Amino acid sequence: MSRMSTEMHRAVLPALLILAGCDATQPNPIANAQREDKPDFPKADRPVATIVSARWSTEEARDRLNEAELVMDKAGIAPGMTVADIGAGEGYYTIRLAQRVGDDGRVLAEDIIPQIRDALAHRVARERLDNVSVRLGEPDDAKLPVDSFDRVLMVHMYHEIAEPYAFLWNLRPSLRPGGRVVVVDADRRTQNHGTPPALLKCEFEAVGYRMVELQKMPSAGGYIAMFTPEGPRPEPKNIVPCRVPTPTPSAGPSGTHKG
């Protein structure tokens, strides 16, 4: 085998191992049988933004604003924690989370698009991030293991969740006691790639979360909000969907740029 072939083999093998692990998370017949009996959830009374890109902005531009460091500081992410990066895309936060939690911590990066998941798995292997695993989720279920996470991050992707009540209900068991869900988004209508904070708070509260913090965060393109589960998880049939007020005719149009 030539030197070039050997180097290619060494580079590709870790990625294949990561992808093999990802394939193990795919639904099996038993899981499919269980999903046939999954409960019905109310529909969201709001538009859903389309997934137009795996990238919100360039990593260089985001680092110039110190975005990830500020978000991780606000979220209280520390060495040794276990963190989920939902809608991880190209891995901007995944890479920086791995550095923050260190060798004693763990990061699970999730996305619902197989090609994006695969590209991220190759990046994780290429950068030798041994404390990161990559998983393929579903639009209404991130498929996270139970009682596993200190923090769950959703950065500029909440407005793309078509079934927020099912998604948040399925997410709750994955949090450890004291765990928090951290949402970063823009303060604009969902169809314009943002989520008004009042709507975000209402949808989380409908599934039994309590907002513990809300701060403006221009460096991250809007605001940061944090939630923690409180009380028992409601039965899906008892979830009351939030109503989005209809804009008055005098209201001006919102922007349409990507969040």
Side-chain angles (χ1 to χ4, degrees):
M1 182 180 294
S2 67
R3 179 182 175 185
M4 181 176 294
S5 297
T6 301
E7 291 177 349
M8 290 179 62
H9 178 75
R10 288 174 178 171
V12 171
L13 181 58
L16 293 177
L17 291 175
I18 288 178
L19 289 175
C22 293
D23 290 340
T25 68
Q26 295 304 300
N28 57 39
I30 295 177
N32 287 335
Q34 292 172 341
R35 289 190 62 79
E36 289 177 2
D37 298 327
K38 68 179 182 178
D40 292 327
F41 291 88
K43 301 296 182 183
D45 179 36
R46 60 169 171 83
V48 178
T50 55
I51 302 175
V52 296
S53 173
R55 175 182 295 182
W56 176 68
S57 180
T58 66
E59 296 196 8
E60 294 78 10
R62 299 171 86 169
D63 279 344
R64 282 196 295 271
L65 295 172
N66 204 28
E67 176 190 332
E69 293 298 319
L70 291 173
V71 167
M72 291 189 292
D73 287 346
K74 292 286 186 184
I77 295 172
M81 280 188 169
T82 300
V83 182
D85 182 12
I86 306 300
E90 295 180 343
Y92 174 74
Y93 272 89
T94 299
I95 304 306
R96 290 152 183 80
L97 287 167
Q99 296 167 349
R100 174 67 69 98
V101 302
D103 293 340
D104 294 330
R106 295 290 301 172
V107 177
L108 188 152
E110 181 267 4
D111 209 282
I112 64 171
I113 301 175
Q115 297 89 333
I116 293 175
R117 184 278 313 264
D118 294 351
L120 180 54
H122 282 284
R123 180 179 184 181
V124 167
R126 184 175 65 251
E127 300 193 20
R128 300 183 183 278
L129 301 176
D130 296 333
N131 61 346
V132 176
S133 57
V134 183
R135 170 168 296 195
L136 186 67
E138 297 181 1
D140 63 350
D141 188 353
K143 313 290 284 185
L144 301 184
V146 172
D147 193 24
S148 297
F149 296 96
D150 302 296
R151 298 290 186 272
V152 174
L153 263 66
M154 294 189 283
V155 180
H156 290 290
M157 56 76 63
Y158 184 82
H159 48 265
E160 297 171 351
I161 299 174
E163 301 284 348
Y165 304 110
F167 185 90
L168 295 175
W169 192 88
N170 287 319
L171 185 68
R172 269 194 55 158
S174 70
L175 290 166
R176 290 173 174 167
R180 293 184 174 187
V181 180
V182 181
V183 177
V184 176
D185 214 338
D187 184 2
R188 52 177 177 258
R189 293 187 296 178
T190 53
Q191 63 265 45
N192 296 332
H193 294 273
T195 309
L199 174 62
L200 181 76
K201 181 174 183 287
C202 181
E203 291 186 347
F204 268 82
E205 288 182 345
V207 191
Y209 295 82
R210 175 174 58 87
M211 178 182 279
V212 295
E213 192 164 349
L214 173 65
Q215 292 187 30
K216 291 183 179 180
M217 200 164 208
S219 63
Y223 64 84
I224 182 171
M226 285 179 272
F227 300 85
T228 190
E230 185 171 72
R233 186 171 60 163
E235 292 293 328
K237 64 182 179 180
N238 295 331
I239 294 173
V240 179
C242 302
R243 306 295 296 180
V244 178
T246 302
T248 60
S250 60
S254 297
T256 58
H257 53 288
K258 167 74 172 146

